[in-house]
Amino acid sequence: MDNEKRSGFRRLDWSYHYVAAPLAIVVLVLSSIELFGGLGQGELERLDWLLFILAVCLVFAVALIRIYATKTQDRIIRMEENFRHYRLTGRTLDPRISISQIIALRYATDDKFPALCDRAAIERMSPIAIRSAIEDWRPDTMRI
């Protein structure tokens, strides 16, 4: 596995990272310029405030969309890996294992997964240490 995958490289969703997020920031910047330009000249209008408030709401909405999607993916990964561990060992994952550790553990092959889970819980391994301990990688091509 190449170093990008080992370091926790994440793919980009072009429609979010290159369109929605930058446009929301541009709208916020332009509305700020309009608002503070009007403040400096004493020509402040309600429309300037409205545009600024809507731009702030847009930035928050765009950010929350990404946060909620990522949290949903994390919950699905936790559920999948917990089921995988149960299928392989007959018991659920150790509750001491954090979501960031589970996300790193998902790359381990089935034959190494249970032992690495136990080691991660006992040694409180960091996600980077877990990924470094994985010799044979199981690719995850669906996470964005």
Side-chain angles (χ1 to χ4, degrees), residues 13-68:
D13 178 13
W14 70 268
S15 62
Y16 177 82
H17 291 98
Y18 298 122
V19 178
L23 282 177
I25 293 169
V26 166
V27 170
L28 179 63
V29 168
L30 292 177
S31 68
S32 300
I33 291 169
E34 184 69 25
L35 175 68
F36 294 115
L39 282 174
Q41 298 173 0
E43 300 174 5
L44 193 60
E45 296 183 20
R46 286 186 195 160
L47 191 56
D48 295 335
W49 279 106
L50 180 62
L51 179 62
F52 177 74
I53 290 167
L54 288 174
V56 169
C57 290
L58 176 65
V59 168
F60 277 117
V62 168
L64 286 175
I65 287 168
R66 182 64 182 168
I67 290 168
Y68 291 162

Coordinates of all heavy atoms in Angstrom, one line a residue, residues 13-68:
D13 N -14.3 15.0 -2.7 CA -15.5 15.1 -3.4 C -15.5 16.4 -4.2 O -15.7 17.4 -3.6 CB -16.7 14.9 -2.5 CG -18.0 15.0 -3.2 OD1 -18.0 14.9 -4.5 OD2 -19.0 15.2 -2.6
W14 N -15.3 16.4 -5.5 CA -15.1 17.6 -6.2 C -16.3 18.5 -6.1 O -16.1 19.7 -6.1 CB -14.8 17.3 -7.7 CG -15.9 16.8 -8.5 CD1 -16.3 15.4 -8.7 CD2 -17.0 17.5 -9.1 NE1 -17.4 15.3 -9.4 CE2 -17.9 16.6 -9.7 CE3 -17.2 18.9 -9.3 CZ2 -19.0 17.0 -10.4 CZ3 -18.3 19.3 -10.0 CH2 -19.2 18.3 -10.5
S15 N -17.5 18.0 -6.1 CA -18.7 18.9 -6.0 C -18.7 19.6 -4.7 O -19.2 20.8 -4.6 CB -20.0 18.1 -6.2 OG -20.1 17.1 -5.2
Y16 N -18.2 19.0 -3.6 CA -18.2 19.7 -2.3 C -17.0 20.6 -2.2 O -17.0 21.8 -1.9 CB -18.3 18.7 -1.2 CG -18.2 19.4 0.2 CD1 -19.3 20.0 0.7 CD2 -17.0 19.5 0.8 CE1 -19.2 20.6 1.9 CE2 -16.9 20.2 2.0 CZ -18.0 20.7 2.6 OH -17.9 21.4 3.8
H17 N -15.8 20.0 -2.4 CA -14.5 20.7 -2.1 C -14.1 21.7 -3.1 O -13.4 22.7 -2.8 CB -13.4 19.6 -2.0 CG -13.5 18.8 -0.8 ND1 -14.0 17.5 -0.8 CD2 -13.2 19.0 0.5 CE1 -14.0 17.0 0.4 NE2 -13.5 17.9 1.3
Y18 N -14.6 21.6 -4.3 CA -14.2 22.5 -5.4 C -15.3 23.4 -5.9 O -15.1 24.4 -6.6 CB -13.6 21.8 -6.6 CG -12.3 21.0 -6.2 CD1 -12.2 19.7 -6.4 CD2 -11.2 21.7 -5.7 CE1 -11.1 19.0 -6.1 CE2 -10.1 21.0 -5.3 CZ -10.0 19.7 -5.5 OH -8.9 19.0 -5.2
V19 N -16.6 23.1 -5.5 CA -17.7 23.9 -5.9 C -18.5 24.5 -4.7 O -18.4 25.7 -4.5 CB -18.7 23.1 -6.8 CG1 -19.8 24.0 -7.3 CG2 -17.9 22.6 -8.1
A20 N -19.1 23.7 -3.9 CA -20.0 24.2 -2.9 C -19.3 25.0 -1.8 O -19.7 26.1 -1.5 CB -20.8 23.0 -2.3
A21 N -18.2 24.4 -1.2 CA -17.5 25.1 -0.2 C -16.9 26.4 -0.6 O -17.0 27.4 0.0 CB -16.5 24.2 0.5
P22 N -16.1 26.4 -1.8 CA -15.5 27.7 -2.2 C -16.6 28.7 -2.6 O -16.4 29.9 -2.2 CB -14.7 27.3 -3.5 CG -14.4 25.9 -3.3 CD -15.6 25.3 -2.6
L23 N -17.7 28.3 -3.2 CA -18.8 29.3 -3.5 C -19.4 29.9 -2.2 O -19.7 31.1 -2.2 CB -19.8 28.6 -4.4 CG -19.5 28.5 -5.8 CD1 -20.6 27.8 -6.6 CD2 -19.2 29.8 -6.5
A24 N -19.6 29.1 -1.2 CA -20.1 29.6 0.0 C -19.2 30.6 0.7 O -19.6 31.6 1.2 CB -20.4 28.4 1.0
I25 N -17.9 30.3 0.6 CA -16.9 31.3 1.2 C -16.9 32.5 0.3 O -16.8 33.6 0.9 CB -15.5 30.6 1.3 CG1 -15.6 29.5 2.3 CG2 -14.4 31.6 1.6 CD1 -14.4 28.6 2.3
V26 N -16.9 32.4 -1.0 CA -16.9 33.6 -1.8 C -18.2 34.5 -1.5 O -18.0 35.7 -1.4 CB -16.9 33.2 -3.3 CG1 -17.2 34.4 -4.2 CG2 -15.5 32.7 -3.7
V27 N -19.3 33.9 -1.4 CA -20.5 34.6 -1.1 C -20.4 35.3 0.3 O -20.8 36.5 0.4 CB -21.8 33.7 -1.1 CG1 -23.0 34.4 -0.5 CG2 -22.1 33.2 -2.5
L28 N -19.8 34.6 1.3 CA -19.6 35.3 2.6 C -18.6 36.4 2.5 O -18.9 37.5 3.1 CB -19.0 34.2 3.6 CG -18.7 34.8 5.0 CD1 -20.0 35.3 5.6 CD2 -18.1 33.7 5.8
V29 N -17.5 36.3 1.8 CA -16.5 37.3 1.6 C -17.2 38.5 0.9 O -17.0 39.7 1.3 CB -15.3 36.8 0.9 CG1 -14.4 38.0 0.5 CG2 -14.5 35.9 1.7
L30 N -17.9 38.3 -0.2 CA -18.5 39.4 -0.9 C -19.6 40.1 -0.1 O -19.7 41.4 -0.2 CB -19.0 38.9 -2.3 CG -18.0 38.5 -3.3 CD1 -18.6 37.9 -4.5 CD2 -17.0 39.6 -3.6
S31 N -20.3 39.4 0.6 CA -21.4 40.0 1.4 C -20.7 40.8 2.6 O -21.3 41.8 3.0 CB -22.4 39.0 2.0 OG -21.7 38.1 2.9
S32 N -19.6 40.3 3.1 CA -18.9 41.0 4.1 C -18.3 42.4 3.6 O -18.4 43.4 4.2 CB -17.7 40.2 4.7 OG -18.2 39.0 5.3
I33 N -17.8 42.3 2.4 CA -17.3 43.5 1.8 C -18.4 44.5 1.5 O -18.3 45.7 1.8 CB -16.6 43.2 0.4 CG1 -15.3 42.4 0.7 CG2 -16.3 44.4 -0.4 CD1 -14.6 41.8 -0.5
E34 N -19.5 44.0 1.1 CA -20.7 44.9 0.9 C -21.2 45.5 2.2 O -21.5 46.7 2.2 CB -21.8 44.1 0.2 CG -23.0 44.9 -0.2 CD -22.8 45.9 -1.3 OE1 -21.8 45.7 -2.1 OE2 -23.5 46.9 -1.4
L35 N -21.3 44.7 3.2 CA -21.8 45.1 4.5 C -20.8 46.2 5.1 O -21.2 47.3 5.5 CB -22.0 44.0 5.5 CG -22.4 44.3 6.9 CD1 -23.8 44.9 6.9 CD2 -22.3 43.1 7.8
F36 N -19.5 45.8 5.2 CA -18.6 46.7 5.9 C -18.2 47.9 5.0 O -17.9 49.0 5.5 CB -17.3 46.0 6.3 CG -17.6 45.0 7.4 CD1 -17.5 43.6 7.1 CD2 -18.1 45.4 8.6 CE1 -17.8 42.7 8.1 CE2 -18.4 44.5 9.6 CZ -18.3 43.1 9.4
G37 N -18.4 47.8 3.7 CA -18.2 49.0 2.8 C -19.3 50.0 3.1 O -19.1 51.2 3.1
G38 N -20.6 49.5 3.3 CA -21.7 50.3 3.6 C -21.6 51.0 5.0 O -22.0 52.1 5.2
L39 N -21.0 50.2 5.9 CA -20.8 50.8 7.2 C -19.8 51.9 7.2 O -20.0 53.0 7.9 CB -20.2 49.7 8.2 CG -21.2 48.7 8.8 CD1 -20.5 47.6 9.6 CD2 -22.2 49.4 9.6
G40 N -18.7 51.8 6.4 CA -17.7 52.8 6.3 C -18.2 54.1 5.7 O -17.8 55.2 6.0
Q41 N -19.2 54.0 4.8 CA -19.7 55.1 4.0 C -21.0 55.6 4.7 O -21.6 56.6 4.2 CB -20.0 54.8 2.6 CG -18.7 54.4 1.8 CD -19.0 53.8 0.4 OE1 -20.2 53.8 0.0 NE2 -18.0 53.5 -0.3
G42 N -21.5 55.0 5.7 CA -22.7 55.4 6.3 C -24.0 55.1 5.5 O -25.0 55.7 5.7
E43 N -23.9 54.2 4.6 CA -25.0 53.9 3.7 C -25.4 52.4 3.9 O -25.6 51.7 2.9 CB -24.6 54.1 2.2 CG -24.2 55.5 1.9 CD -23.7 55.6 0.5 OE1 -23.7 54.6 -0.3 OE2 -23.2 56.7 0.1
L44 N -25.6 52.1 5.1 CA -26.0 50.7 5.4 C -27.5 50.5 5.2 O -28.3 51.3 5.5 CB -25.7 50.4 6.9 CG -25.7 49.0 7.3 CD1 -24.7 48.2 6.6 CD2 -25.4 48.9 8.8
E45 N -27.8 49.4 4.5 CA -29.1 49.0 4.2 C -29.5 47.7 4.8 O -28.6 46.9 5.1 CB -29.3 49.0 2.7 CG -29.1 50.3 2.0 CD -29.4 50.3 0.5 OE1 -30.1 49.3 0.1 OE2 -28.9 51.2 -0.2
R46 N -30.8 47.4 4.9 CA -31.2 46.2 5.4 C -30.8 45.0 4.5 O -30.5 43.9 5.0 CB -32.7 46.1 5.6 CG -33.2 46.9 6.7 CD -34.7 46.8 6.9 NE -35.2 47.8 7.7 CZ -36.5 48.2 7.8 NH1 -37.4 47.6 7.0 NH2 -36.9 49.1 8.6
L47 N -30.8 45.3 3.3 CA -30.4 44.2 2.3 C -29.0 43.7 2.5 O -28.7 42.6 2.4 CB -30.6 44.7 0.9 CG -30.5 43.7 -0.2 CD1 -31.5 42.5 0.0 CD2 -30.8 44.3 -1.6
D48 N -28.1 44.7 2.9 CA -26.7 44.3 3.2 C -26.7 43.3 4.4 O -25.9 42.4 4.3 CB -25.9 45.5 3.5 CG -25.7 46.5 2.3 OD1 -25.8 46.0 1.1 OD2 -25.5 47.7 2.5
W49 N -27.4 43.7 5.4 CA -27.4 42.8 6.6 C -28.1 41.4 6.2 O -27.6 40.4 6.7 CB -28.3 43.4 7.7 CG -27.5 44.4 8.5 CD1 -27.6 45.8 8.4 CD2 -26.4 44.2 9.4 NE1 -26.7 46.4 9.3 CE2 -25.9 45.4 9.9 CE3 -25.8 43.0 9.9 CZ2 -24.9 45.5 10.9 CZ3 -24.8 43.1 10.9 CH2 -24.4 44.3 11.3
L50 N -29.1 41.5 5.5 CA -29.8 40.2 5.1 C -28.9 39.3 4.3 O -28.8 38.1 4.5 CB -31.1 40.6 4.3 CG -31.9 39.3 3.8 CD1 -32.4 38.5 5.0 CD2 -33.0 39.8 3.0
L51 N -28.2 39.9 3.3 CA -27.2 39.2 2.5 C -26.1 38.6 3.4 O -25.8 37.4 3.2 CB -26.7 40.0 1.4 CG -25.7 39.4 0.5 CD1 -26.3 38.2 -0.3 CD2 -25.1 40.4 -0.5
F52 N -25.6 39.3 4.3 CA -24.5 38.9 5.2 C -25.0 37.7 6.1 O -24.4 36.7 6.2 CB -24.0 40.0 6.0 CG -22.9 39.6 7.0 CD1 -21.7 39.3 6.6 CD2 -23.2 39.4 8.4 CE1 -20.7 38.8 7.5 CE2 -22.3 39.0 9.3 CZ -21.0 38.7 8.8
I53 N -26.2 37.9 6.6 CA -26.8 36.8 7.5 C -27.0 35.5 6.7 O -26.7 34.4 7.2 CB -28.0 37.3 8.2 CG1 -27.6 38.4 9.2 CG2 -28.8 36.2 8.9 CD1 -28.8 39.2 9.8
L54 N -27.6 35.7 5.5 CA -27.8 34.5 4.7 C -26.5 33.8 4.3 O -26.4 32.6 4.2 CB -28.6 34.9 3.4 CG -30.1 35.2 3.7 CD1 -30.7 35.7 2.4 CD2 -30.8 34.0 4.2
A55 N -25.4 34.6 4.0 CA -24.1 34.1 3.7 C -23.5 33.3 4.8 O -23.0 32.2 4.6 CB -23.2 35.2 3.2
V56 N -23.7 33.8 6.0 CA -23.2 33.1 7.2 C -24.0 31.8 7.4 O -23.4 30.7 7.7 CB -23.3 34.0 8.5 CG1 -23.1 33.2 9.8 CG2 -22.3 35.2 8.4
C57 N -25.3 31.8 7.2 CA -26.1 30.6 7.3 C -25.7 29.6 6.2 O -25.6 28.4 6.5 CB -27.6 31.0 7.1 SG -28.2 31.9 8.5
L58 N -25.4 30.1 5.0 CA -24.9 29.2 4.0 C -23.6 28.5 4.3 O -23.5 27.3 4.1 CB -24.8 30.0 2.6 CG -24.3 29.2 1.4 CD1 -25.3 28.1 1.0 CD2 -24.0 30.1 0.3
V59 N -22.7 29.3 4.8 CA -21.4 28.7 5.2 C -21.6 27.6 6.3 O -21.0 26.5 6.2 CB -20.4 29.7 5.7 CG1 -19.2 29.1 6.3 CG2 -20.0 30.6 4.5
F60 N -22.4 27.9 7.3 CA -22.7 26.9 8.4 C -23.4 25.7 7.8 O -23.0 24.6 8.1 CB -23.6 27.5 9.5 CG -22.8 28.3 10.5 CD1 -23.0 29.6 10.7 CD2 -21.8 27.7 11.3 CE1 -22.3 30.3 11.6 CE2 -21.1 28.4 12.2 CZ -21.3 29.7 12.4
A61 N -24.3 25.9 6.9 CA -25.1 24.8 6.3 C -24.1 23.9 5.5 O -24.2 22.6 5.6 CB -26.2 25.3 5.4
V62 N -23.3 24.5 4.7 CA -22.3 23.7 3.9 C -21.4 22.9 4.8 O -21.1 21.8 4.5 CB -21.6 24.6 2.9 CG1 -20.4 23.9 2.2 CG2 -22.5 25.1 1.8
A63 N -20.9 23.6 5.8 CA -20.0 22.9 6.8 C -20.7 21.7 7.5 O -20.1 20.6 7.6 CB -19.4 23.9 7.8
L64 N -21.9 21.9 7.9 CA -22.7 20.9 8.6 C -23.0 19.7 7.7 O -23.0 18.6 8.2 CB -23.9 21.5 9.2 CG -23.7 22.3 10.5 CD1 -25.0 22.9 10.9 CD2 -23.1 21.5 11.6
I65 N -23.2 20.0 6.5 CA -23.5 18.9 5.5 C -22.3 17.9 5.5 O -22.5 16.7 5.5 CB -23.8 19.5 4.1 CG1 -25.2 20.1 4.1 CG2 -23.7 18.4 3.0 CD1 -25.5 20.9 2.8
R66 N -21.1 18.5 5.4 CA -19.9 17.6 5.4 C -19.7 16.9 6.7 O -19.4 15.7 6.8 CB -18.7 18.5 5.0 CG -17.4 17.7 4.9 CD -17.5 16.7 3.8 NE -16.3 15.9 3.8 CZ -16.1 14.8 3.1 NH1 -17.1 14.4 2.3 NH2 -15.0 14.2 3.1
I67 N -19.9 17.6 7.8 CA -19.7 17.0 9.2 C -20.7 15.9 9.4 O -20.3 14.8 9.8 CB -19.9 18.1 10.3 CG1 -18.7 19.0 10.2 CG2 -20.0 17.5 11.6 CD1 -18.9 20.3 11.0
Y68 N -22.0 16.1 9.0 CA -23.0 15.0 9.2 C -22.7 13.8 8.3 O -22.9 12.7 8.7 CB -24.4 15.6 8.9 CG -24.9 16.6 10.0 CD1 -26.0 17.4 9.7 CD2 -24.3 16.7 11.2 CE1 -26.4 18.3 10.6 CE2 -24.8 17.6 12.2 CZ -25.8 18.4 11.8 OH -26.3 19.3 12.8

